[in-house]
Amino acid sequence: MTRILTGLTLALLLAGPALALTAQQEKMKTCNAEAAEKHLTGDARKSFMKDCLGAAGGTQHAALTPQQQKMKDCNASATAQHLKGEPRKEFIAACLKK
């Protein structure tokens, strides 16, 4: 009996970190609770959740790093020149080296 209790306790201790919510899951839980408090449904709930999840701390709306901006600019330039396939790859590689 002691072994069973020890085993269960150990299993719960090891599972503890796996049960912890990630930052995104915690944010979703909070936004969902707020929407429920406001009795939102349908499109109003969708809109609220989108705004809530995108606000404060959302990485989706973060500014681009200099490397990401350079990649975006090179890609746009290649698209403007209608480059495809190997010529596009070569152009982007050269552009990123600048």
Side-chain angles (χ1 to χ4, degrees):
M1 183 70 168
T2 305
R3 285 186 181 192
I4 293 173
L5 289 176
T6 303
L8 288 174
T9 303
L10 183 58
L12 287 174
L13 289 174
L14 293 175
L19 298 177
L21 297 178
T22 65
Q24 180 65 19
Q25 289 171 325
E26 191 65 42
K27 182 74 173 167
M28 290 176 73
K29 182 179 173 184
T30 302
C31 291
N32 194 32
E34 287 180 33
E37 283 177 16
K38 295 179 180 186
H39 305 288
L40 297 175
T41 59
D43 289 339
R45 184 182 183 90
K46 282 183 187 178
S47 178
F48 172 80
M49 291 296 286
K50 183 178 178 182
D51 292 342
C52 183
L53 291 172
T59 57
Q60 295 172 334
H61 303 292
L64 296 177
T65 65
Q67 179 65 22
Q68 289 172 326
Q69 185 62 49
K70 191 172 188 180
M71 290 172 72
K72 183 178 176 182
D73 293 343
C74 290
N75 191 37
S77 183
T79 300
Q81 295 177 35
H82 305 289
L83 296 175
K84 295 182 188 228
E86 197 60 35
R88 182 183 185 90
K89 289 179 186 178
E90 291 172 4
F91 173 81
I92 290 178
C95 180
L96 291 173
K97 287 180 183 177
K98 292 180 185 176

